[in-house]
Amino acid sequence: MVMRKLQLPLSQTQKVRFERAIERLQSLSSTANSDASVIVTDSIPVNHEDAFLKGHGTSEVDGELLATVCGVVERVDKLVYVRTLRARYKPEVGDIVVGRVIEVSQKGWRVELNFTQDGVLMLSSMTLPDGIQRRRTSVDELNMRNIFVEDDVVCAEVRNLQHDGSLQLQARSQKYGKLEKGQLLKVDPYLVKRSKHHFHYIESLGIDLIIGCNGFIWVGEHVEVRDPMVIDDQKDDEMISSSTKNTGKEQSHIPPETRQSICRIGNAIRVLSNLGFTVTVEVIVETVNLSNSKNIDIHDMLGSEFHVVVAENEAERRRAKRKK
Amino acid sequence: MEYVNPEGLRLDGRRFNEMRQIVAEIGVVSKADGSAVFEMGNTKVIAAVYGPREIQNKSQKKNDHALVLCEYSMAHFSTGDRRRQKNDRRSTELSLVIRQTMEACISTELMPHSQIDIFLQVLQADGGTRSACINAATLALADAGIPMRDLAVSCSAGYLNSTPLLDLNYLEDSAGGADVTVGILPKLDKVTLLQMDAKLPMETFETVFALASEGCKAIAERIREVLLENTKQLEYRRGSA
């Protein structure tokens, strides 16, 4: 998670370089946004003659709109809300999330998602490994541990958010489900942006990257997605036999190059998260390339020098982007 | 013993209405949702907040609001003489007091079925640990992005040598005079905590109480500066891109 003061031993020159990079970032951040930062009980200026809607993080006391959290004021039409920075994940329907199974219960799994409660992935709202659409029987319930057990990392979609705040998940496609052969990283959810794509395949390295909206990021070996809809019924037997072959393969080794790539990407994400920069695929890939071009070993990526280099690079990148 | 000399200076050289130096830092425990260190002179407290998260003891689950739990402890090395066992009566009482104060300012109704854990540890004790704990907890809660009605701030004041004194240190605290700890919600102008040991006449109490509230407001200003700086820092690092 974010270290406000970089807890790394910086040499004098590194300190100066780092401070300069941070100063440049500060000057680059749009000036209009800088005074939109509010903290608890700051009053938010609103035009009381126009109707306005008070959103998350606000409350009205004596006709004055007050912030209840620290963050940035956002205005969308009449809606006024405070976007929090460091806070737990706030789910929206359709979000792609990565989580860890913590309990196998009667009809579903409980999943840790960095939310105020555990998410629930019901057996009925996920495709079975055989890919057939049917009613879930008690036999399926007994076989739940064959699908996920405790401590498995899973990927799913937010199905709905109930009124009492509980969260339901679904995994109705082959692209969701159990994640294996990789690393799970946790960053603050405000560093992840919702976008059209959360599944990424970095072809040059053969790595899958899943950036969950809840700030859990999966870096793992690339797996081909098999879509059961495409497979004909006759091929069913074949598929089952191939899947048994796959389970045999699972014990096989992941090549060391892939492992190194996973670690390199993992460390790139750790550095970005330490510095509090937004985590997107472009930035991650750029950071990985930067470490390669500077010949920095994987274990040196978490050192002070690379942090400073990444900060300088980010300042440069944002400046270039702004010019465009 | 003379606690205020004829020039009006106290044992550590402060005037009657002077506070000790305040140092506050946010984000010191990387795994916690929110954390802070708060120093008032030689008193130093570290606070870590976890949550709102899934409730651990199912029987305590509340359907309409979040459960707030607080654990106060004093590090064995926090005072000159080595501290006794954990979970003594003083810690239990303080945990309860801090819990109630913080519960009053958190908008718990927004987070049903969940719990918020506040852990406080005194690293150095030199009087006024109660106030320092509340201030540290406020900072940590704000850092964790937990919705609050107001920032709870606290400060103590006492009465020695017929002078009201702000922010007592350990020597003044153990002098046996009255010690008033006040916790207020500065924006809503409400009192959430008021504790006093020993007795004071009504008029004197009022001046001491007023002095402590002034102290609270000064602390609130400092806390707001720290929080705003932290929020801005996070926002521009994240960038609008």
Side-chain angles (χ1 to χ4, degrees):
Chain A
M1 303 254 163
V2 183
M3 293 185 279
R4 249 48 57 85
K5 255 193 194 166
L6 208 59
Q7 287 164 349
L8 285 167
L10 292 173
S11 72
Q12 199 56 45
T13 43
Q14 281 172 339
K15 202 181 265 173
V16 173
R17 282 164 62 204
F18 183 70
E19 273 163 17
R20 198 189 297 147
I22 293 297
E23 254 168 47
R24 272 164 70 194
L25 284 177
Q26 187 168 14
S27 61
L28 281 171
S29 71
S30 46
T31 40
N33 241 3
S34 61
D35 40 275
S37 302
V38 286
I39 57 167
V40 179
T41 71
D42 269 350
S43 75
I44 302 166
V46 283
N47 190 354
H48 282 271
E49 277 141 42
D50 299 338
F52 66 89
L53 291 164
K54 59 186 184 75
H56 286 298
T58 61
S59 74
E60 207 170 357
V61 180
D62 300 333
E64 204 182 355
L65 197 64
L66 301 180
T68 60
V69 289
C70 298
V72 182
V73 179
E74 298 277 347
R75 289 159 204 269
V76 181
D77 287 336
K78 284 176 182 171
L79 178 71
V80 180
Y81 70 97
V82 180
R83 173 165 54 82
T84 53
L85 292 166
R86 267 172 61 80
R88 291 221 156 195
Y89 168 58
K90 284 204 180 58
E92 278 172 30
V93 174
D95 275 356
I96 287 156
V97 292
V98 177
R100 197 183 279 280
V101 175
I102 54 162
E103 191 187 317
V104 182
S105 55
Q106 185 87 89
K107 282 189 174 117
W109 296 268
R110 298 188 78 83
V111 185
E112 219 287 292
L113 294 167
N114 193 28
F115 177 49
T116 57
Q117 291 171 49
D118 295 332
V120 179
L121 177 59
M122 298 298 282
L123 178 64
S124 56
S125 52
M126 74 166 292
T127 38
L128 296 173
D130 55 13
I132 303 166
Q133 290 282 351
R134 59 178 166 82
R135 251 185 93 100
R136 308 298 192 268
T137 60
S138 54
V139 180
D140 289 323
E141 272 176 38
L142 290 172
N143 289 332
M144 272 169 61
R145 272 176 196 278
N146 295 342
I147 307 174
F148 305 136
V149 292
E150 286 91 349
D151 292 339
D152 275 352
V153 179
V154 297
C155 174
E157 188 185 305
V158 175
R159 181 170 164 227
N160 73 352
L161 193 65
Q162 241 133 38
H163 211 67
D164 63 347
S166 64
L167 181 71
Q168 289 201 312
L169 301 172
Q170 63 180 5
R172 289 187 200 279
S173 153
Q174 288 294 342
K175 64 178 178 176
Y176 301 125
K178 190 162 164 177
L179 300 169
E180 284 171 310
K181 299 183 200 166
Q183 251 182 37
L184 176 69
L185 295 140
K186 296 175 182 178
V187 303
D188 279 323
Y190 77 92
L191 298 175
V192 175
K193 277 225 154 81
R194 290 193 172 84
S195 66
K196 278 182 193 160
H197 303 286
H198 284 272
F199 292 91
H200 302 280
Y201 171 37
I202 303 173
E203 255 180 303
S204 54
L205 301 170
I207 296 291
D208 271 339
L209 189 67
I210 304 174
I211 303 181
C213 293
N214 57 341
F216 285 27
I217 299 177
W218 175 260
V219 187
E221 197 190 18
H222 178 63
V223 276
E224 283 302 325
V225 176
R226 285 172 290 124
D227 199 338
M229 298 307 187
V230 185
I231 296 159
D232 297 332
D233 286 332
Q234 300 127 355
K235 287 187 186 165
D236 237 14
D237 297 328
E238 251 177 67
M239 201 193 82
I240 289 162
S241 60
S242 71
S243 71
T244 46
K245 257 184 229 156
N246 271 352
T247 48
K249 247 193 216 163
E250 261 165 30
Q251 273 109 40
S252 73
H253 280 293
I254 311 166
E257 298 81 54
T258 314
R259 288 171 191 245
Q260 281 177 354
S261 307
I262 292 173
C263 291
R264 200 173 271 280
I265 294 173
N267 279 353
I269 296 167
R270 285 190 187 100
V271 170
L272 290 171
S273 152
N274 282 346
L275 291 167
F277 296 155
T278 318
V279 179
T280 59
V281 205
E282 294 82 35
V283 181
I284 294 169
V285 172
E286 202 178 311
T287 311
V288 169
N289 291 342
L290 188 70
S291 77
N292 277 325
S293 66
K294 298 244 172 191
N295 271 329
I296 291 169
D297 276 343
I298 293 167
H299 60 270
D300 285 337
M301 285 175 77
L302 299 177
S304 11
E305 175 61 24
F306 192 63
H307 275 86
V308 176
V309 170
V310 171
E312 283 174 338
N313 184 56
E314 178 75 8
E316 191 54 40
R317 199 181 65 85
R318 285 192 200 167
R319 199 171 60 87
K321 201 168 182 184
R322 200 136 184 240
K323 268 187 182 166
K324 276 181 208 167
Chain B
M1 199 172 158
E2 194 185 50
Y3 289 95
V4 186
N5 69 13
E7 286 93 66
L9 294 175
R10 287 149 74 176
L11 294 171
D12 49 6
R14 289 182 286 158
R15 301 205 173 269
F16 79 96
N17 59 351
E18 252 180 281
M19 250 187 308
R20 291 173 284 177
Q21 195 195 1
I22 294 172
V23 179
E25 194 187 329
I26 295 177
V28 287
V29 183
S30 54
K31 283 285 174 222
D33 285 285
S35 57
V37 164
F38 190 84
E39 283 178 60
M40 277 174 104
N42 289 328
T43 302
K44 187 173 185 178
V45 177
I46 187 166
V49 168
Y50 292 84
R53 60 179 175 187
E54 181 77 21
I55 217 144
Q56 272 159 0
N57 186 352
K58 288 273 152 56
S59 62
Q60 288 178 311
K61 196 164 177 168
K62 300 282 189 337
N63 286 330
D64 50 351
H65 60 92
L67 184 72
V68 180
L69 298 174
C70 180
E71 194 180 304
Y72 164 95
S73 64
M74 232 164 156
H76 291 301
F77 51 80
S78 63
T79 51
D81 48 332
R82 197 175 176 279
R83 282 272 143 189
R84 321 110 305 189
Q85 79 284 21
K86 235 180 127 189
N87 296 330
D88 53 337
R89 276 168 67 185
R90 187 172 169 276
S91 303
T92 319
E93 185 243 321
L94 266 170
S95 302
L96 186 74
V97 165
I98 297 164
R99 203 197 88 194
Q100 285 168 344
T101 313
M102 298 330 290
E103 215 169 15
C105 74
I106 300 171
S107 312
T108 49
E109 70 282 354
L110 297 175
M111 299 157 281
H113 304 293
S114 53
Q115 75 174 32
I116 297 166
D117 292 295
I118 305 169
F119 296 98
L120 294 155
Q121 178 139 41
V122 178
L123 300 178
Q124 288 182 65
D126 185 30
T129 51
R130 203 170 303 229
S131 313
C133 281
I134 289 171
N135 297 331
T138 301
L139 278 169
L141 284 169
D143 181 38
I146 292 169
M148 290 194 283
R149 277 181 270 274
D150 201 348
L151 296 167
V153 284
S154 170
C155 188
S156 66
Y159 191 74
L160 288 167
N161 295 148
S162 45
T163 326
L165 300 174
L166 184 66
D167 191 17
L168 302 183
N169 65 20
Y170 181 72
L171 273 176
E172 292 164 332
D173 200 13
S174 46
D179 172 19
V180 185
T181 304
V182 179
I184 62 166
L185 300 176
K187 183 84 183 183
L188 306 175
D189 210 15
K190 280 180 179 158
V191 176
T192 51
L193 171 71
L194 182 55
Q195 283 189 319
M196 173 163 75
D197 39 21
K199 281 184 183 173
L200 276 181
M202 203 56 207
E203 306 86 69
T204 325
F205 170 75
E206 267 167 27
T207 52
V208 173
F209 176 76
L211 188 65
S213 332
E214 281 305 307
C216 288
K217 279 170 191 152
I219 292 173
E221 276 306 306
R222 186 81 192 92
I223 285 182
R224 298 181 76 84
E225 277 171 30
V226 173
L227 281 176
L228 191 62
E229 176 56 34
N230 180 57
T231 311
K232 280 190 174 161
Q233 172 101 203
L234 286 178
E235 173 61 15
Y236 75 67
R237 280 204 186 186
R238 177 180 168 274
S240 45

